[in-house]
Amino acid sequence: MKIRKIYLLMSVLWLTGCSDFLEESSQDEVRPAMISDLEQILLGDGYHDNHNFFYMTEIFTDNVKSVEPLVYVQDEYERNKWRYLWDSKMFDDDGGGYYNGCWEIPYKGILGCNLVLDYLDDMKGEDLVRESLRGEALVLRSWYYFHLINFFGVAYNQGNPETDLGVPLKLDATVTGQFFTRNTVKEVYARIEQDLLRGNKLLSTNRYDRNFFRIDHLAAKAILSRVYLYMEDWDKALAYADSVLMVKSNLLDLNDGGRVYNTSSTPDEIIWVREYSEGFSISFQPRLSPPFILSENLIDIYTDNVDFRKSLFLYYNSTITRGYPGISKGSSDYGKMQGIRTAELYLNRAESYVRKYLAGGQDEFRLKALADLNKLRKYRLNKSKYAEVDLTDGQELLDFCLTERRRELCGETSHRWCDVRRLGVMVTHLLYDSSIEYEQNMEYYALPIPKVITEQNPSLVQNQ
């Protein structure tokens, strides 16, 4: 077997439908010998360290505002204003310019996972490792599809998932000349759920040592909780949150300082973490403010001198008068770490309890929601000024829970983007030099597929 042929295959952007990249017959020659060979492919090409799309969606949300660009970041302003205004040409050469993070990169990650899944059964090695790696690849593939469907499909709880268009499902690494069509939102979610459930079972029953830079059974359960939350299956969302928190319930106490994504000294609440490279760009020489920074709409939901998240999650640049440019939750100065934390599971469970309280009126669910919210806040607020909340009105409690979710999860793995869509939030954006307010009802909003992708694959129906 020549392992380089695996990497040749990895370079193929198979979803374009162009068959001349690689002859299909060469598939028979791609034969790694050991499970460890496939593990390296998953680590190198499945996880994609150098390409990360988690931060890309912030600019579409109410977490961001436009400010006058300094001359040094004028190009960045011209490129990103198309996204800020939700323009249909945001990813096209005659608009904001092609960006590969929302479509191409996730599908390349899926291709890496498919390669592993295709060849695992032919590999020599320990069965426990084989099945654990199978579970890891299934969950990681689901993670990519979960983001893709929330980029390009209408939110599951909005519209009609049985007919709304999602993204194409490609479940093997075979290269053909086929033009792939878009599966429905329901079909994609069903596949995500199926693979997560199987992956969770495999990872739970075939355990071997992994660090938190790789997906394990807790990460699989945490993703299931998020998926079911978006599907409004409250019982399953809280059940999978429970299953994580019963094993790992730690929260970092911000009274002691530190970062929630500190991977070196205080990984108290990290379940899974990866580096990211796309965010509110800041030039390091000199340190300049970017043209799109955090909005007062976000900043003002934190209580001054009480909520440590305001000073530890959000950061100033060197010119304080320009406000907060970004979000920092990692161990480096610019927080280039994202993933899944126990804090999200408390919030998933709390929201599920509140929804059940609103539906049935059982006070036990209200009390359980408050217990989760108060526990999280105890680790986030100044202890000398901390006071528990006790809300009896269901709608007030839900509003408080969703605001707490925004405070805690801003800037991470597209949480706010997904939340404004599933909650049907109306987002208003105003360019710094314009008097025209641009509004977008996120309830049915989905990103446009880049034109370079639809030109290469004419079977893909564009979002309107």
Side-chain angles (χ1 to χ4, degrees):
M1 171 283 170
K2 297 180 179 179
I3 198 72
R4 62 185 177 81
K5 290 187 178 179
I6 289 277
Y7 291 97
L8 175 61
L9 182 58
M10 291 304 304
S11 69
V12 179
L13 184 55
W14 49 265
L15 200 63
T16 62
C18 298
S19 59
D20 57 349
F21 283 98
L22 188 69
E23 291 295 329
E24 185 177 357
S25 60
S26 69
Q27 293 288 309
D28 293 335
E29 301 178 44
V30 184
R31 297 290 182 187
M34 303 294 294
I35 290 174
S36 57
D37 294 332
L38 290 182
E39 185 171 27
Q40 291 307 307
I41 290 170
L42 187 68
L43 294 177
D45 296 294
Y47 278 101
H48 275 289
D49 272 341
N50 296 325
H51 303 283
N52 199 298
F53 46 80
F54 295 155
Y55 215 82
M56 181 267 297
T57 56
E58 287 297 298
I59 198 168
F60 304 123
T61 75
D62 48 2
N63 284 351
V64 176
K65 73 172 184 178
S66 166
V67 293
E68 183 176 1
L70 303 178
V71 63
Y72 302 101
V73 292
Q74 185 67 39
D75 289 345
E76 181 186 342
Y77 169 76
E78 294 297 330
R79 179 175 68 253
N80 286 332
K81 73 178 182 181
W82 298 82
R83 302 188 203 178
Y84 185 72
L85 300 179
W86 309 286
D87 194 281
S88 61
K89 295 182 178 180
M90 65 175 71
F91 300 134
D92 300 339
D93 288 340
D94 54 347
Y98 179 61
Y99 169 69
N100 67 357
C102 59
W103 184 279
E104 180 180 336
I105 291 302
Y107 272 116
K108 283 185 176 180
I110 289 167
L111 178 56
C113 296
N114 285 340
L115 275 167
V116 172
L117 293 168
D118 282 358
Y119 291 105
L120 260 178
D121 288 333
D122 298 331
M123 298 302 101
K124 298 176 182 178
E126 186 180 354
D127 284 343
L128 182 147
V129 178
R130 184 196 319 276
E131 296 310 309
S132 186
L133 192 62
R134 194 190 311 276
E136 185 177 5
L138 285 168
V139 174
L140 183 57
R141 185 174 72 179
S142 299
W143 177 252
Y144 286 124
Y145 272 123
F146 185 57
H147 280 82
L148 280 165
I149 194 62
N150 281 288
F151 291 160
F152 296 103
V154 172
Y156 187 92
N157 65 325
Q158 309 291 352
N160 182 354
E162 293 189 359
T163 57
D164 291 333
L165 293 179
V167 294
L169 286 170
K170 182 69 165 67
L171 304 175
D172 60 58
T174 303
V175 179
T176 72
Q178 178 184 359
F179 289 122
F180 293 93
T181 58
R182 297 174 67 178
N183 292 82
T184 66
V185 170
K186 185 175 182 179
E187 288 170 337
V188 177
Y189 263 86
R191 188 70 206 197
I192 290 168
E193 180 185 19
Q194 176 183 328
D195 284 354
L196 283 173
L197 290 171
R198 187 182 178 206
N200 174 49
K201 184 176 181 180
L202 289 169
L203 288 165
S204 298
T205 56
N206 300 278
R207 299 189 189 182
Y208 80 100
D209 288 341
R210 286 177 171 86
N211 59 31
F212 44 64
F213 291 102
R214 294 178 62 176
I215 281 172
D216 66 0
H217 70 102
L218 289 182
K221 293 175 174 67
I223 299 168
L224 276 164
S225 177
R226 193 188 301 190
V227 170
Y228 286 128
L229 188 80
Y230 292 4
M231 295 175 71
E232 298 189 345
D233 190 331
W234 313 123
D235 288 331
K236 290 181 180 178
L238 69 86
Y240 278 100
D242 264 341
S243 67
V244 175
L245 295 174
M246 284 189 295
V247 178
K248 184 179 178 68
S249 60
N250 298 356
L251 289 166
L252 178 68
D253 191 344
L254 295 189
N255 283 271
D256 300 328
R259 301 289 184 182
V260 289
Y261 280 118
N262 188 330
T263 57
S264 56
S265 59
T266 56
D268 296 59
E269 57 187 74
I270 295 175
I271 295 171
W272 176 52
V273 67
R274 302 299 297 180
E275 281 192 89
Y276 69 86
S277 58
E278 177 79 12
F280 292 115
S281 300
I282 293 181
S283 171
F284 288 86
Q285 42 184 341
R287 293 178 65 174
L288 302 172
S289 180
F292 299 98
I293 66 176
L294 299 190
S295 65
E296 288 83 2
N297 187 281
L298 172 64
I299 296 169
D300 290 347
I301 65 176
Y302 298 92
T303 305
D304 286 324
N305 303 316
V306 176
D307 196 328
F308 284 120
R309 289 172 294 195
K310 185 168 187 176
S311 58
L312 291 176
F313 286 7
L314 316 182
Y315 66 93
Y316 287 108
N317 70 324
S318 57
T319 309
I320 289 180
T321 55
R322 291 180 65 83
Y324 292 96
I327 299 167
S328 176
K329 299 182 180 181
S331 53
S332 69
D333 289 342
Y334 292 90
K336 292 191 174 182
M337 294 286 177
Q338 291 196 21
I340 302 172
R341 301 184 283 119
T342 54
E344 179 194 344
L345 282 304
Y346 282 102
L347 291 163
N348 290 357
R349 191 168 68 177
E351 182 180 341
S352 299
Y353 279 135
V354 178
R355 303 284 189 178
K356 288 170 69 67
Y357 173 59
L358 284 168
Q362 298 98 319
D363 201 51
E364 63 174 305
F365 295 139
R366 180 185 70 88
L367 294 175
K368 288 180 177 180
L370 284 168
D372 280 339
L373 293 170
N374 281 318
K375 180 170 183 177
L376 176 63
R377 288 167 58 78
K378 182 179 179 180
Y379 286 85
R380 299 300 186 245
L381 306 187
N382 189 318
K383 286 182 177 178
S384 66
K385 301 176 182 180
Y386 169 74
E388 289 193 346
V389 294
D390 183 14
L391 298 171
T392 56
D393 181 82
Q395 187 59 50
E396 287 184 18
L397 181 56
L398 177 62
D399 292 343
F400 184 84
C401 179
L402 295 175
T403 301
E404 194 64 24
R405 184 177 179 87
R406 187 180 180 194
R407 291 187 189 102
E408 182 66 30
L409 300 177
C410 63
E412 296 181 59
T413 61
S414 295
H415 278 294
R416 187 57 184 169
W417 160 254
C418 292
D419 282 349
V420 295
R421 293 170 73 247
R422 71 185 179 92
L423 299 172
V425 172
M426 178 69 75
V427 174
T428 301
H429 281 170
L430 178 68
L431 285 176
Y432 81 96
D433 59 350
S434 173
S435 60
I436 302 174
E437 289 189 341
Y438 297 83
E439 288 190 331
Q440 183 63 255
N441 185 346
M442 291 296 172
E443 186 175 8
Y444 300 114
Y445 187 66
L447 296 179
I449 300 173
K451 183 164 59 175
V452 65
I453 301 297
T454 58
E455 287 178 345
Q456 293 171 329
N457 182 356
S459 294
L460 291 174
V461 177
Q462 179 63 275
N463 285 326
Q464 300 301 317

